[in-house]
Amino acid sequence: MEQEYYNWNFAQAPLNRGEDHCCVAVDSQGIVLGVMGLNERTFIFRNEKLAAAELTTWIVAPKGQNKGIGPAMLRYLQKRYDVLLGMGITPMAVSIYLRHGFRYLNPVPRYMKVFDLNKVENLAYTDKRTSKIHRYWRQNSVTSQVPYKTIEATDDIIEEVNSTFSSRANCFARGATEMAWRYSRHPTYSYNVKIITNPNESGSLAVLVYRLQDINDGVRIAHILDLFGDLPAMKSAVSFVETELPKLGVDFIDFYSTYGEHQGLFLSCGWFMLGSDSFFNFPHLFNPVELRNPSSNSFVLWGRDGAESLFNFSSCYISKQDCDFDRP
């Protein structure tokens, strides 16, 4: 129905090369029984580039259900690719994925920094502990002590950061070509891509991507889509968003990430961790605003080899950038 968005999502992705690679199941008469939305991507695993795919939408027609159509589609994709990732998994689909060697994670860790608790409380679940803990974190912030500097986001720098980061983290490639498609040419949203350095750490670089969204009651949120690079520079990136984004009227920031370094970084900087901090919960759906539990999303991951390392989410980086998780 949205032709421009469809073309961007399924044809213009760099490895799709202008073609639709979605997996379609048909019967002997050519009637469609199922479809799996699919983007081809490069997954960097143990410093090797693997053929991978993002799975974005999976639908099996009622007359095709309970006839092995869904499992047949998964088996076909597992023969074709080395790594598969899907997000937003329905309860009906979980058991099928698990029976085919996928691992399921629910929810994706989601971190949130709140600047104006009064505005947020109208939309969130809070209890009597929330304001006290929030006040303590604000008074004992460590990020204000971390310097930051922004430099021009050139293709060469993005390639350098992607190469360095993927040498220690398993993730989809985030080079200049992938980043330009995902952010610069998005048909709906406008993204801010920043290169952050830590002036005290020579050569330390990180890529930060975020967008702003105004939701009801005059609340403005900043969604971080990507943060990757050297740890000192990622610390500076947190300092940057906590210092600069409130100047743009941002009331809170959120970020989804499986990566272990991010957990240590954001928890030490006094960000809420939704799903873990039982005294605070906030929606992740805003059109309309809807509070769900858990207030994040789920994903499945499969790899042909090296499952022990692939499923080690302390070193596997998946964020809202992947699988078009940030969609209108």
Side-chain angles (χ1 to χ4, degrees):
M1 293 171 62
E2 296 289 343
Q3 193 67 39
E4 182 182 10
Y5 190 85
Y6 162 82
N7 286 334
W8 171 83
N9 200 347
F10 294 115
Q12 296 172 8
L15 293 186
N16 288 10
R17 299 178 180 87
E19 297 183 354
D20 182 336
H21 287 258
C22 295
C23 176
V24 181
V26 299
D27 65 13
S28 58
Q29 285 76 46
I31 296 178
V32 175
L33 298 177
V35 60
M36 175 78 82
L38 185 148
N39 274 336
E40 294 194 342
R41 294 281 302 268
T42 297
F43 193 87
I44 304 176
F45 179 57
R46 296 173 176 170
N47 288 320
E48 293 186 22
K49 294 182 178 180
L50 303 180
E54 298 174 317
L55 312 178
T56 58
T57 304
W58 189 16
I59 301 172
V60 176
K63 62 181 177 181
Q65 295 176 6
N66 300 314
K67 296 181 179 179
I69 302 299
M73 295 175 75
L74 285 184
R75 289 193 295 270
Y76 169 80
L77 294 174
Q78 287 175 318
K79 292 178 181 178
R80 187 178 179 92
Y81 300 102
D82 299 311
V83 175
L84 298 170
L85 170 70
M87 280 192 173
I89 311 305
T90 63
M92 182 183 300
V94 170
S95 62
I96 303 176
Y97 279 117
L98 293 178
R99 290 199 305 269
H100 287 79
F102 287 75
R103 290 305 305 175
Y104 174 69
L105 186 67
N106 185 31
V108 177
R110 183 186 180 199
Y111 308 100
M112 179 176 289
K113 184 68 175 184
V114 177
F115 300 113
D116 190 335
L117 190 59
N118 291 328
K119 282 189 177 182
V120 170
E121 280 182 322
N122 295 327
L123 302 170
Y125 164 78
T126 61
D127 67 21
K128 60 184 180 181
R129 296 170 291 175
T130 308
S131 60
K132 295 179 181 179
I133 294 171
H134 176 255
R135 185 167 56 250
Y136 171 80
W137 283 341
R138 292 294 298 273
Q139 292 172 347
N140 294 274
S141 173
V142 297
T143 46
S144 60
Q145 305 167 15
V146 179
Y148 60 85
K149 180 181 178 181
T150 61
I151 61 176
E152 183 181 359
T154 66
D155 289 353
D156 288 343
I157 292 178
I158 290 174
E159 289 287 352
E160 177 185 348
V161 178
N162 173 59
S163 176
T164 302
F165 180 76
S166 60
S167 68
R168 70 178 194 276
N170 302 318
C171 59
F172 283 104
R174 283 162 157 79
T177 301
E178 291 87 1
M179 297 288 281
W181 162 73
R182 182 63 182 82
Y183 298 120
S184 301
R185 296 197 292 272
H186 197 281
T188 306
Y189 295 141
S190 296
Y191 294 97
N192 298 276
V193 180
K194 304 287 186 182
I195 302 296
I196 308 292
T197 69
N198 186 322
N200 294 340
E201 297 283 344
S202 178
S204 181
L205 297 167
V207 175
L208 168 71
V209 183
Y210 64 90
R211 72 172 177 89
L212 306 181
Q213 180 181 9
D214 293 314
I215 56 180
N216 63 356
D217 299 324
V219 177
R220 171 169 283 188
I221 180 173
H223 300 287
I224 296 178
L225 276 294
D226 249 334
L227 176 60
F228 60 95
D230 303 312
L231 184 57
M234 289 197 293
K235 290 181 180 178
S236 293
V238 176
S239 180
F240 169 86
V241 298
E242 290 190 7
T243 303
E244 300 298 332
L245 296 192
K247 298 176 183 177
L248 302 177
V250 170
D251 300 303
F252 66 93
I253 312 170
D254 73 346
F255 178 45
Y256 298 74
S257 173
T258 61
Y259 190 48
E261 280 189 0
H262 287 151
Q263 184 173 70
L265 175 58
F266 286 98
L267 294 188
S268 66
C269 291
W271 288 48
F272 291 108
M273 185 175 182
L274 278 70
S276 179
D277 294 331
S278 59
F279 48 84
F280 182 78
N281 196 12
F282 196 84
H284 70 97
L285 301 173
F286 301 104
N287 296 301
V289 174
E290 181 180 348
L291 183 61
R292 290 185 179 182
N293 191 19
S295 56
S296 181
N297 211 326
S298 58
F299 75 86
V300 290
L301 182 64
W302 172 85
R304 187 184 311 281
D305 299 306
E308 182 177 345
S309 297
L310 184 66
F311 298 151
N312 177 8
F313 295 117
S314 66
S315 59
C316 183
Y317 174 44
I318 296 170
S319 78
K320 204 171 182 178
Q321 191 254 42
D322 300 306
C323 291
D324 186 27
F325 184 22
D326 189 47
R327 69 171 58 182

